[in-house]
Amino acid sequence: MKDHAATVAALGVLAMCLVTVSHEVVGHGVACALAGGQITHVSTTLFACSVPMFWVAVGGPIGNLVAALVAATLAARLPASHTTLRLFLITVVALSLFWEAGYLIKAMLFRDGDLYFFAYGLLGPYGVWPFVGAALGAVLYLGVVAMVSRLFASVLGDPRRVRRAALILWLAATAGAVIAALPFKGDRLPTIRDALLGIGLASIPLLLFRWRGQPCDVPIIARQRGLIIVAGFALILMAATLGRGIGAF
């Protein structure tokens, strides 16, 4: 028997929604509030605060790092028999860390984005720090690749099973991010591009891993109609709120 494809896809969609909310709403939102500002715009890929402090920019990456840490801790404490929940949690870890490690490389090379603005505000316009930051991002990204590979193998075991699940999760999360961005009431193309970069391109190693591991006795992910419905509603809700964008930009 194989893991139920639609149920695995639902996990990918839900993980994408959680990771996006952790970055844009929780991370940036809390940082904006701590800076004494108010949210003037938030969407799936954009955030604006009435107080444009560089500390607000780093809130999004911190939000994803916290989400990854909490998810990894919970996954480690769950029994191996909780296959579905553990797979969801490590998908949150993967999407969160791939996003931020890849984002660090892009931000420093192109001198744009949250992490660049934070470093610029902290270190100033001069120096070699963008190159150092890009190199650090590359090292972190390779570390995330190794860690995520081990996490997936620890949950599903059989490399063929992991390969199939990773493909489904990547397709569902990437498609979900694009679908959620389609209703954006501003310029859609940059928003769709950023959704593809942050979720799809950043996590492309999920398609390229040479998965290792040994078959282990963990339950197959069975069809869960309720989970599929919840994922569908979550995607619709995200598209209708963050997807459209809340507030003026």
Side-chain angles (χ1 to χ4, degrees):
M1 294 180 64
K2 294 182 178 179
D3 296 308
H4 190 256
T7 302
V8 175
L11 297 179
V13 169
L14 288 171
M16 179 279 298
C17 291
L18 178 58
V19 168
T20 302
V21 170
S22 296
H23 184 106
E24 302 294 348
V25 180
V26 178
H28 284 312
V30 169
C32 180
L34 290 176
Q38 294 182 334
I39 299 173
T40 59
H41 175 87
V42 61
S43 67
T44 58
T45 62
L46 297 170
F47 184 90
C49 178
S50 61
V51 179
M53 294 180 63
F54 65 90
W55 288 101
V56 176
V58 79
I62 290 175
N64 274 357
L65 293 178
V66 170
L69 177 61
V70 172
T73 301
L74 292 175
R77 294 183 177 181
L78 285 171
S81 58
H82 288 63
T83 312
T84 303
L85 182 53
R86 292 182 73 218
L87 184 58
F88 166 73
L89 291 170
I90 67 167
T91 304
V92 171
V93 174
L95 295 181
S96 296
L97 296 185
F98 277 135
W99 180 347
E100 296 310 331
Y103 196 18
L104 177 56
I105 300 171
K106 175 183 177 292
M108 295 304 165
L109 290 179
F110 291 90
R111 305 199 175 198
D112 185 35
D114 295 336
L115 294 171
Y116 174 77
F117 296 141
F118 171 70
Y120 183 94
L122 196 65
L123 302 173
Y126 305 109
V128 299
W129 58 262
F131 304 101
V132 174
L136 176 61
V139 172
L140 292 174
Y141 194 85
L142 292 174
V144 173
V145 167
M147 183 183 70
V148 168
S149 178
R150 290 195 299 270
L151 286 174
F152 271 89
S154 72
V155 173
L156 299 178
D158 188 339
R160 292 173 298 179
R161 186 180 178 189
V162 178
R163 186 181 303 113
R164 180 174 180 269
L167 172 61
I168 295 170
L169 289 165
W170 184 87
L171 288 172
T174 303
V178 172
I179 291 169
L182 288 176
F184 187 61
K185 57 189 177 183
D187 189 353
R188 289 188 181 90
L189 287 181
T191 298
I192 293 171
R193 176 203 63 205
D194 289 345
L196 280 170
L197 290 174
I199 297 295
L201 183 60
S203 59
I204 201 71
L206 291 177
L207 304 183
L208 305 177
F209 279 142
R210 294 185 62 186
W211 297 102
R212 293 184 172 89
Q214 296 293 329
C216 53
D217 186 20
V218 294
I220 293 292
I221 297 176
R223 180 172 181 261
Q224 298 184 39
R225 182 181 300 176
L227 185 61
I228 296 169
I229 292 172
V230 168
F233 274 117
L235 184 57
I236 292 171
L237 180 61
M238 173 169 281
T241 54
L242 292 181
R244 281 181 51 80
I246 301 172
F249 190 72

